[in-house]
PDB file of all heavy atoms in Angstrom:
ATOM      1  N   GLU A   1     -59.385  74.698 -54.909  1.00  0.00           N
ATOM      2  CA  GLU A   1     -59.176  73.862 -53.749  1.00  0.00           C
ATOM      3  C   GLU A   1     -57.902  74.338 -53.064  1.00  0.00           C
ATOM      4  O   GLU A   1     -56.897  74.618 -53.719  1.00  0.00           O
ATOM      5  CB  GLU A   1     -59.034  72.390 -54.148  1.00  0.00           C
ATOM      6  CG  GLU A   1     -60.313  71.801 -54.727  1.00  0.00           C
ATOM      7  CD  GLU A   1     -60.153  70.333 -55.062  1.00  0.00           C
ATOM      8  OE1 GLU A   1     -59.065  69.787 -54.787  1.00  0.00           O
ATOM      9  OE2 GLU A   1     -61.114  69.752 -55.587  1.00  0.00           O
ATOM     10  N   VAL A   2     -57.946  74.409 -51.743  1.00  0.00           N
ATOM     11  CA  VAL A   2     -56.805  74.951 -51.019  1.00  0.00           C
ATOM     12  C   VAL A   2     -56.306  73.929 -50.016  1.00  0.00           C
ATOM     13  O   VAL A   2     -57.079  73.351 -49.251  1.00  0.00           O
ATOM     14  CB  VAL A   2     -57.190  76.248 -50.273  1.00  0.00           C
ATOM     15  CG1 VAL A   2     -55.997  76.760 -49.481  1.00  0.00           C
ATOM     16  CG2 VAL A   2     -57.661  77.286 -51.255  1.00  0.00           C
ATOM     17  N   ASN A   3     -55.025  73.710 -50.017  1.00  0.00           N
ATOM     18  CA  ASN A   3     -54.362  72.858 -49.039  1.00  0.00           C
ATOM     19  C   ASN A   3     -53.415  73.736 -48.263  1.00  0.00           C
ATOM     20  O   ASN A   3     -52.491  74.311 -48.833  1.00  0.00           O
ATOM     21  CB  ASN A   3     -53.600  71.732 -49.767  1.00  0.00           C
ATOM     22  CG  ASN A   3     -52.903  70.788 -48.798  1.00  0.00           C
ATOM     23  OD1 ASN A   3     -52.689  71.116 -47.643  1.00  0.00           O
ATOM     24  ND2 ASN A   3     -52.551  69.612 -49.307  1.00  0.00           N
ATOM     25  N   ASN A   4     -53.596  73.854 -46.984  1.00  0.00           N
ATOM     26  CA  ASN A   4     -52.773  74.755 -46.190  1.00  0.00           C
ATOM     27  C   ASN A   4     -51.334  74.278 -46.046  1.00  0.00           C
ATOM     28  O   ASN A   4     -50.520  74.938 -45.402  1.00  0.00           O
ATOM     29  CB  ASN A   4     -53.392  74.978 -44.813  1.00  0.00           C
ATOM     30  CG  ASN A   4     -54.489  76.006 -44.854  1.00  0.00           C
ATOM     31  OD1 ASN A   4     -54.640  76.746 -45.821  1.00  0.00           O
ATOM     32  ND2 ASN A   4     -55.287  76.072 -43.805  1.00  0.00           N
ATOM     33  N   ASN A   5     -51.005  73.137 -46.628  1.00  0.00           N
ATOM     34  CA  ASN A   5     -49.630  72.676 -46.635  1.00  0.00           C
ATOM     35  C   ASN A   5     -48.942  72.981 -47.964  1.00  0.00           C
ATOM     36  O   ASN A   5     -47.809  72.595 -48.191  1.00  0.00           O
ATOM     37  CB  ASN A   5     -49.576  71.165 -46.374  1.00  0.00           C
ATOM     38  CG  ASN A   5     -50.044  70.822 -44.971  1.00  0.00           C
ATOM     39  OD1 ASN A   5     -49.671  71.494 -44.022  1.00  0.00           O
ATOM     40  ND2 ASN A   5     -50.833  69.780 -44.833  1.00  0.00           N
ATOM     41  N   THR A   6     -49.645  73.663 -48.877  1.00  0.00           N
ATOM     42  CA  THR A   6     -49.049  73.984 -50.160  1.00  0.00           C
ATOM     43  C   THR A   6     -47.987  75.058 -49.998  1.00  0.00           C
ATOM     44  O   THR A   6     -47.974  75.804 -49.024  1.00  0.00           O
ATOM     45  CB  THR A   6     -50.108  74.494 -51.146  1.00  0.00           C
ATOM     46  OG1 THR A   6     -50.762  75.643 -50.567  1.00  0.00           O
ATOM     47  CG2 THR A   6     -51.142  73.424 -51.439  1.00  0.00           C
ATOM     48  N   ASN A   7     -47.080  75.125 -50.951  1.00  0.00           N
ATOM     49  CA  ASN A   7     -46.009  76.110 -50.922  1.00  0.00           C
ATOM     50  C   ASN A   7     -46.245  77.139 -52.013  1.00  0.00           C
ATOM     51  O   ASN A   7     -46.035  76.856 -53.185  1.00  0.00           O
ATOM     52  CB  ASN A   7     -44.646  75.438 -51.136  1.00  0.00           C
ATOM     53  CG  ASN A   7     -44.287  74.513 -49.997  1.00  0.00           C
ATOM     54  OD1 ASN A   7     -44.466  74.868 -48.846  1.00  0.00           O
ATOM     55  ND2 ASN A   7     -43.781  73.329 -50.324  1.00  0.00           N
ATOM     56  N   PRO A   8     -46.696  78.333 -51.674  1.00  0.00           N
ATOM     57  CA  PRO A   8     -46.913  79.366 -52.686  1.00  0.00           C
ATOM     58  C   PRO A   8     -45.581  79.860 -53.231  1.00  0.00           C
ATOM     59  O   PRO A   8     -44.522  79.599 -52.671  1.00  0.00           O
ATOM     60  CB  PRO A   8     -47.635  80.467 -51.901  1.00  0.00           C
ATOM     61  CG  PRO A   8     -47.164  80.284 -50.495  1.00  0.00           C
ATOM     62  CD  PRO A   8     -46.986  78.802 -50.318  1.00  0.00           C
ATOM     63  N   ASN A   9     -45.651  80.561 -54.344  1.00  0.00           N
ATOM     64  CA  ASN A   9     -44.474  81.160 -54.942  1.00  0.00           C
ATOM     65  C   ASN A   9     -44.104  82.404 -54.139  1.00  0.00           C
ATOM     66  O   ASN A   9     -44.781  83.426 -54.224  1.00  0.00           O
ATOM     67  CB  ASN A   9     -44.769  81.516 -56.398  1.00  0.00           C
ATOM     68  CG  ASN A   9     -43.556  82.058 -57.124  1.00  0.00           C
ATOM     69  OD1 ASN A   9     -42.505  82.273 -56.543  1.00  0.00           O
ATOM     70  ND2 ASN A   9     -43.712  82.304 -58.409  1.00  0.00           N
ATOM     71  N   ILE A  10     -43.035  82.308 -53.350  1.00  0.00           N
ATOM     72  CA  ILE A  10     -42.653  83.378 -52.435  1.00  0.00           C
ATOM     73  C   ILE A  10     -41.355  84.020 -52.911  1.00  0.00           C
ATOM     74  O   ILE A  10     -40.361  83.331 -53.115  1.00  0.00           O
ATOM     75  CB  ILE A  10     -42.459  82.846 -51.003  1.00  0.00           C
ATOM     76  CG1 ILE A  10     -43.718  82.109 -50.519  1.00  0.00           C
ATOM     77  CG2 ILE A  10     -42.100  83.976 -50.049  1.00  0.00           C
ATOM     78  CD1 ILE A  10     -43.539  81.430 -49.183  1.00  0.00           C
ATOM     79  N   SER A  11     -41.363  85.320 -53.078  1.00  0.00           N
ATOM     80  CA  SER A  11     -40.150  86.024 -53.479  1.00  0.00           C
ATOM     81  C   SER A  11     -39.290  86.306 -52.256  1.00  0.00           C
ATOM     82  O   SER A  11     -39.753  86.258 -51.112  1.00  0.00           O
ATOM     83  CB  SER A  11     -40.507  87.341 -54.171  1.00  0.00           C
ATOM     84  OG  SER A  11     -41.029  88.270 -53.224  1.00  0.00           O
ATOM     85  N   GLU A  12     -38.026  86.621 -52.496  1.00  0.00           N
ATOM     86  CA  GLU A  12     -37.146  87.080 -51.429  1.00  0.00           C
ATOM     87  C   GLU A  12     -37.490  88.540 -51.105  1.00  0.00           C
ATOM     88  O   GLU A  12     -38.054  89.260 -51.928  1.00  0.00           O
ATOM     89  CB  GLU A  12     -35.684  86.972 -51.856  1.00  0.00           C
ATOM     90  CG  GLU A  12     -35.216  85.557 -52.138  1.00  0.00           C
ATOM     91  CD  GLU A  12     -35.240  84.679 -50.908  1.00  0.00           C
ATOM     92  OE1 GLU A  12     -34.984  85.215 -49.803  1.00  0.00           O
ATOM     93  OE2 GLU A  12     -35.512  83.473 -51.034  1.00  0.00           O
ATOM     94  N   TYR A  13     -37.115  88.971 -49.886  1.00  0.00           N
ATOM     95  CA  TYR A  13     -37.320  90.378 -49.564  1.00  0.00           C
ATOM     96  C   TYR A  13     -36.429  91.248 -50.444  1.00  0.00           C
ATOM     97  O   TYR A  13     -35.273  90.919 -50.704  1.00  0.00           O
ATOM     98  CB  TYR A  13     -37.010  90.647 -48.087  1.00  0.00           C
ATOM     99  CG  TYR A  13     -38.184  90.378 -47.188  1.00  0.00           C
ATOM    100  CD1 TYR A  13     -38.244  89.228 -46.419  1.00  0.00           C
ATOM    101  CD2 TYR A  13     -39.243  91.273 -47.127  1.00  0.00           C
ATOM    102  CE1 TYR A  13     -39.330  88.970 -45.602  1.00  0.00           C
ATOM    103  CE2 TYR A  13     -40.335  91.037 -46.312  1.00  0.00           C
ATOM    104  CZ  TYR A  13     -40.371  89.884 -45.543  1.00  0.00           C
ATOM    105  OH  TYR A  13     -41.449  89.637 -44.746  1.00  0.00           O
ATOM    106  N   GLN A  14     -37.005  92.360 -50.914  1.00  0.00           N
ATOM    107  CA  GLN A  14     -36.299  93.288 -51.777  1.00  0.00           C
ATOM    108  C   GLN A  14     -36.508  94.706 -51.271  1.00  0.00           C
ATOM    109  O   GLN A  14     -37.383  94.962 -50.441  1.00  0.00           O
ATOM    110  CB  GLN A  14     -36.836  93.184 -53.210  1.00  0.00           C
ATOM    111  CG  GLN A  14     -36.791  91.788 -53.803  1.00  0.00           C
ATOM    112  CD  GLN A  14     -37.484  91.748 -55.157  1.00  0.00           C
ATOM    113  OE1 GLN A  14     -37.212  92.557 -56.032  1.00  0.00           O
ATOM    114  NE2 GLN A  14     -38.393  90.809 -55.323  1.00  0.00           N
ATOM    115  N   GLU A  15     -35.705  95.638 -51.817  1.00  0.00           N
ATOM    116  CA  GLU A  15     -35.918  97.042 -51.503  1.00  0.00           C
ATOM    117  C   GLU A  15     -37.272  97.478 -52.044  1.00  0.00           C
ATOM    118  O   GLU A  15     -37.746  96.971 -53.060  1.00  0.00           O
ATOM    119  CB  GLU A  15     -34.815  97.901 -52.114  1.00  0.00           C
ATOM    120  CG  GLU A  15     -33.448  97.685 -51.487  1.00  0.00           C
ATOM    121  CD  GLU A  15     -32.405  98.622 -52.062  1.00  0.00           C
ATOM    122  OE1 GLU A  15     -32.777  99.487 -52.894  1.00  0.00           O
ATOM    123  OE2 GLU A  15     -31.231  98.503 -51.692  1.00  0.00           O
ATOM    124  N   LEU A  16     -37.895  98.438 -51.382  1.00  0.00           N
ATOM    125  CA  LEU A  16     -39.220  98.887 -51.788  1.00  0.00           C
ATOM    126  C   LEU A  16     -39.195  99.446 -53.204  1.00  0.00           C
ATOM    127  O   LEU A  16     -38.310 100.228 -53.559  1.00  0.00           O
ATOM    128  CB  LEU A  16     -39.736  99.968 -50.835  1.00  0.00           C
ATOM    129  CG  LEU A  16     -40.005  99.536 -49.390  1.00  0.00           C
ATOM    130  CD1 LEU A  16     -40.521 100.726 -48.586  1.00  0.00           C
ATOM    131  CD2 LEU A  16     -40.988  98.384 -49.319  1.00  0.00           C
ATOM    132  N   PRO A  17     -40.169  99.057 -54.037  1.00  0.00           N
ATOM    133  CA  PRO A  17     -40.234  99.587 -55.400  1.00  0.00           C
ATOM    134  C   PRO A  17     -40.911 100.962 -55.418  1.00  0.00           C
ATOM    135  O   PRO A  17     -41.548 101.380 -54.451  1.00  0.00           O
ATOM    136  CB  PRO A  17     -41.105  98.558 -56.116  1.00  0.00           C
ATOM    137  CG  PRO A  17     -42.064  98.117 -55.044  1.00  0.00           C
ATOM    138  CD  PRO A  17     -41.257  98.097 -53.773  1.00  0.00           C
ATOM    139  N   GLU A  18     -40.784 101.636 -56.540  1.00  0.00           N
ATOM    140  CA  GLU A  18     -41.526 102.880 -56.733  1.00  0.00           C
ATOM    141  C   GLU A  18     -42.982 102.537 -57.021  1.00  0.00           C
ATOM    142  O   GLU A  18     -43.283 101.657 -57.829  1.00  0.00           O
ATOM    143  CB  GLU A  18     -40.944 103.676 -57.898  1.00  0.00           C
ATOM    144  CG  GLU A  18     -41.583 105.028 -58.102  1.00  0.00           C
ATOM    145  CD  GLU A  18     -40.932 105.807 -59.225  1.00  0.00           C
ATOM    146  OE1 GLU A  18     -40.943 105.305 -60.364  1.00  0.00           O
ATOM    147  OE2 GLU A  18     -40.418 106.911 -58.970  1.00  0.00           O
ATOM    148  N   ILE A  19     -43.895 103.215 -56.350  1.00  0.00           N
ATOM    149  CA  ILE A  19     -45.316 102.964 -56.539  1.00  0.00           C
ATOM    150  C   ILE A  19     -46.039 104.281 -56.823  1.00  0.00           C
ATOM    151  O   ILE A  19     -45.595 105.344 -56.388  1.00  0.00           O
ATOM    152  CB  ILE A  19     -45.954 102.294 -55.295  1.00  0.00           C
ATOM    153  CG1 ILE A  19     -45.792 103.170 -54.054  1.00  0.00           C
ATOM    154  CG2 ILE A  19     -45.397 100.900 -55.071  1.00  0.00           C
ATOM    155  CD1 ILE A  19     -46.560 102.674 -52.829  1.00  0.00           C
ATOM    156  N   PRO A  20     -47.160 104.243 -57.538  1.00  0.00           N
ATOM    157  CA  PRO A  20     -47.946 105.460 -57.751  1.00  0.00           C
ATOM    158  C   PRO A  20     -48.676 105.844 -56.474  1.00  0.00           C
ATOM    159  O   PRO A  20     -49.243 104.989 -55.794  1.00  0.00           O
ATOM    160  CB  PRO A  20     -48.935 105.052 -58.849  1.00  0.00           C
ATOM    161  CG  PRO A  20     -49.076 103.574 -58.699  1.00  0.00           C
ATOM    162  CD  PRO A  20     -47.734 103.075 -58.247  1.00  0.00           C
ATOM    163  N   ASP A  21     -48.637 107.109 -56.134  1.00  0.00           N
ATOM    164  CA  ASP A  21     -49.253 107.563 -54.880  1.00  0.00           C
ATOM    165  C   ASP A  21     -50.743 107.812 -55.102  1.00  0.00           C
ATOM    166  O   ASP A  21     -51.223 108.945 -55.090  1.00  0.00           O
ATOM    167  CB  ASP A  21     -48.563 108.827 -54.381  1.00  0.00           C
ATOM    168  CG  ASP A  21     -48.922 109.138 -52.929  1.00  0.00           C
ATOM    169  OD1 ASP A  21     -49.455 108.238 -52.252  1.00  0.00           O
ATOM    170  OD2 ASP A  21     -48.650 110.261 -52.480  1.00  0.00           O
ATOM    171  N   ILE A  22     -51.477 106.740 -55.281  1.00  0.00           N
ATOM    172  CA  ILE A  22     -52.892 106.852 -55.646  1.00  0.00           C
ATOM    173  C   ILE A  22     -53.742 107.294 -54.457  1.00  0.00           C
ATOM    174  O   ILE A  22     -53.434 107.037 -53.300  1.00  0.00           O
ATOM    175  CB  ILE A  22     -53.428 105.531 -56.228  1.00  0.00           C
ATOM    176  CG1 ILE A  22     -53.346 104.403 -55.191  1.00  0.00           C
ATOM    177  CG2 ILE A  22     -52.660 105.155 -57.480  1.00  0.00           C
ATOM    178  CD1 ILE A  22     -53.969 103.092 -55.672  1.00  0.00           C
ATOM    179  N   LEU A  23     -54.841 107.946 -54.785  1.00  0.00           N
ATOM    180  CA  LEU A  23     -55.826 108.348 -53.794  1.00  0.00           C
ATOM    181  C   LEU A  23     -56.845 107.224 -53.640  1.00  0.00           C
ATOM    182  O   LEU A  23     -57.404 106.746 -54.619  1.00  0.00           O
ATOM    183  CB  LEU A  23     -56.523 109.634 -54.228  1.00  0.00           C
ATOM    184  CG  LEU A  23     -57.525 110.252 -53.254  1.00  0.00           C
ATOM    185  CD1 LEU A  23     -56.811 110.724 -51.982  1.00  0.00           C
ATOM    186  CD2 LEU A  23     -58.251 111.417 -53.910  1.00  0.00           C
ATOM    187  N   MET A  24     -57.085 106.799 -52.401  1.00  0.00           N
ATOM    188  CA  MET A  24     -57.984 105.688 -52.158  1.00  0.00           C
ATOM    189  C   MET A  24     -59.065 106.099 -51.175  1.00  0.00           C
ATOM    190  O   MET A  24     -58.936 107.089 -50.448  1.00  0.00           O
ATOM    191  CB  MET A  24     -57.212 104.482 -51.623  1.00  0.00           C
ATOM    192  CG  MET A  24     -56.015 104.107 -52.475  1.00  0.00           C
ATOM    193  SD  MET A  24     -55.534 102.373 -52.301  1.00  0.00           S
ATOM    194  CE  MET A  24     -56.723 101.614 -53.402  1.00  0.00           C
ATOM    195  N   VAL A  25     -60.153 105.326 -51.154  1.00  0.00           N
ATOM    196  CA  VAL A  25     -61.270 105.565 -50.238  1.00  0.00           C
ATOM    197  C   VAL A  25     -61.492 104.303 -49.434  1.00  0.00           C
ATOM    198  O   VAL A  25     -61.501 103.195 -49.989  1.00  0.00           O
ATOM    199  CB  VAL A  25     -62.556 105.928 -51.016  1.00  0.00           C
ATOM    200  CG1 VAL A  25     -63.715 106.153 -50.054  1.00  0.00           C
ATOM    201  CG2 VAL A  25     -62.334 107.151 -51.875  1.00  0.00           C
ATOM    202  N   ASN A  26     -61.674 104.448 -48.107  1.00  0.00           N
ATOM    203  CA  ASN A  26     -61.898 103.259 -47.292  1.00  0.00           C
ATOM    204  C   ASN A  26     -63.385 102.986 -47.113  1.00  0.00           C
ATOM    205  O   ASN A  26     -64.246 103.685 -47.661  1.00  0.00           O
ATOM    206  CB  ASN A  26     -61.174 103.375 -45.951  1.00  0.00           C
ATOM    207  CG  ASN A  26     -61.812 104.386 -44.999  1.00  0.00           C
ATOM    208  OD1 ASN A  26     -62.885 104.945 -45.253  1.00  0.00           O
ATOM    209  ND2 ASN A  26     -61.161 104.638 -43.877  1.00  0.00           N
ATOM    210  N   GLN A  27     -63.688 101.959 -46.338  1.00  0.00           N
ATOM    211  CA  GLN A  27     -65.070 101.505 -46.158  1.00  0.00           C
ATOM    212  C   GLN A  27     -65.950 102.526 -45.431  1.00  0.00           C
ATOM    213  O   GLN A  27     -67.169 102.401 -45.434  1.00  0.00           O
ATOM    214  CB  GLN A  27     -65.095 100.173 -45.401  1.00  0.00           C
ATOM    215  CG  GLN A  27     -64.728 100.262 -43.933  1.00  0.00           C
ATOM    216  CD  GLN A  27     -63.238 100.378 -43.665  1.00  0.00           C
ATOM    217  OE1 GLN A  27     -62.430  99.930 -44.486  1.00  0.00           O
ATOM    218  NE2 GLN A  27     -62.876 100.947 -42.532  1.00  0.00           N
ATOM    219  N   ASP A  28     -65.338 103.538 -44.853  1.00  0.00           N
ATOM    220  CA  ASP A  28     -66.099 104.595 -44.181  1.00  0.00           C
ATOM    221  C   ASP A  28     -66.163 105.875 -45.000  1.00  0.00           C
ATOM    222  O   ASP A  28     -66.667 106.895 -44.524  1.00  0.00           O
ATOM    223  CB  ASP A  28     -65.489 104.881 -42.802  1.00  0.00           C
ATOM    224  CG  ASP A  28     -65.598 103.682 -41.877  1.00  0.00           C
ATOM    225  OD1 ASP A  28     -66.671 103.047 -41.838  1.00  0.00           O
ATOM    226  OD2 ASP A  28     -64.594 103.371 -41.197  1.00  0.00           O
ATOM    227  N   GLY A  29     -65.644 105.826 -46.234  1.00  0.00           N
ATOM    228  CA  GLY A  29     -65.722 106.977 -47.112  1.00  0.00           C
ATOM    229  C   GLY A  29     -64.605 107.980 -46.966  1.00  0.00           C
ATOM    230  O   GLY A  29     -64.650 109.048 -47.575  1.00  0.00           O
ATOM    231  N   TYR A  30     -63.577 107.660 -46.157  1.00  0.00           N
ATOM    232  CA  TYR A  30     -62.465 108.593 -45.972  1.00  0.00           C
ATOM    233  C   TYR A  30     -61.407 108.385 -47.047  1.00  0.00           C
ATOM    234  O   TYR A  30     -61.022 107.255 -47.341  1.00  0.00           O
ATOM    235  CB  TYR A  30     -61.842 108.416 -44.583  1.00  0.00           C
ATOM    236  CG  TYR A  30     -62.762 108.800 -43.450  1.00  0.00           C
ATOM    237  CD1 TYR A  30     -63.298 107.840 -42.609  1.00  0.00           C
ATOM    238  CD2 TYR A  30     -63.104 110.131 -43.231  1.00  0.00           C
ATOM    239  CE1 TYR A  30     -64.156 108.182 -41.575  1.00  0.00           C
ATOM    240  CE2 TYR A  30     -63.956 110.491 -42.197  1.00  0.00           C
ATOM    241  CZ  TYR A  30     -64.476 109.507 -41.370  1.00  0.00           C
ATOM    242  OH  TYR A  30     -65.326 109.852 -40.351  1.00  0.00           O
ATOM    243  N   GLN A  31     -60.912 109.503 -47.613  1.00  0.00           N
ATOM    244  CA  GLN A  31     -59.895 109.446 -48.652  1.00  0.00           C
ATOM    245  C   GLN A  31     -58.503 109.632 -48.053  1.00  0.00           C
ATOM    246  O   GLN A  31     -58.286 110.501 -47.201  1.00  0.00           O
ATOM    247  CB  GLN A  31     -60.136 110.539 -49.691  1.00  0.00           C
ATOM    248  CG  GLN A  31     -61.417 110.379 -50.483  1.00  0.00           C
ATOM    249  CD  GLN A  31     -61.517 111.375 -51.625  1.00  0.00           C
ATOM    250  OE1 GLN A  31     -60.607 112.161 -51.857  1.00  0.00           O
ATOM    251  NE2 GLN A  31     -62.620 111.341 -52.341  1.00  0.00           N
ATOM    252  N   ARG A  32     -57.560 108.801 -48.544  1.00  0.00           N
ATOM    253  CA  ARG A  32     -56.159 108.935 -48.131  1.00  0.00           C
ATOM    254  C   ARG A  32     -55.267 108.509 -49.282  1.00  0.00           C
ATOM    255  O   ARG A  32     -55.605 107.619 -50.055  1.00  0.00           O
ATOM    256  CB  ARG A  32     -55.852 108.065 -46.905  1.00  0.00           C
ATOM    257  CG  ARG A  32     -56.553 108.469 -45.638  1.00  0.00           C
ATOM    258  CD  ARG A  32     -56.140 107.546 -44.501  1.00  0.00           C
ATOM    259  NE  ARG A  32     -54.757 107.751 -44.098  1.00  0.00           N
ATOM    260  CZ  ARG A  32     -54.088 106.921 -43.275  1.00  0.00           C
ATOM    261  NH1 ARG A  32     -54.678 105.840 -42.820  1.00  0.00           N
ATOM    262  NH2 ARG A  32     -52.839 107.174 -42.951  1.00  0.00           N
ATOM    263  N   ARG A  33     -54.113 109.130 -49.388  1.00  0.00           N
ATOM    264  CA  ARG A  33     -53.092 108.692 -50.315  1.00  0.00           C
ATOM    265  C   ARG A  33     -52.494 107.374 -49.814  1.00  0.00           C
ATOM    266  O   ARG A  33     -52.347 107.165 -48.604  1.00  0.00           O
ATOM    267  CB  ARG A  33     -51.992 109.742 -50.438  1.00  0.00           C
ATOM    268  CG  ARG A  33     -52.441 111.012 -51.161  1.00  0.00           C
ATOM    269  CD  ARG A  33     -52.489 110.783 -52.646  1.00  0.00           C
ATOM    270  NE  ARG A  33     -53.012 111.957 -53.372  1.00  0.00           N
ATOM    271  CZ  ARG A  33     -53.236 111.963 -54.661  1.00  0.00           C
ATOM    272  NH1 ARG A  33     -52.970 110.886 -55.384  1.00  0.00           N
ATOM    273  NH2 ARG A  33     -53.726 113.054 -55.249  1.00  0.00           N
TER     274      ARG A  33
END
């Protein structure tokens, strides 16, 4: 059940973390990092 007045758990803005540069495919079949 969803109430649009609820308060989700929101973090503060932070510096960008390190992420794995994974290869992905979109809905049209195109691959991009």
Side-chain angles (χ1 to χ4, degrees):
E1 294 182 3
V2 178
N3 181 342
N4 279 346
N5 294 316
T6 57
N7 294 316
N9 184 355
I10 305 174
S11 71
E12 297 295 326
Y13 275 103
Q14 304 174 51
E15 292 184 4
L16 295 180
E18 185 177 60
I19 59 172
D21 194 15
I22 62 175
L23 184 65
M24 308 204 81
V25 179
N26 72 7
Q27 71 282 334
D28 296 316
Y30 294 110
Q31 295 188 2
R32 294 181 70 191
R33 290 283 176 185

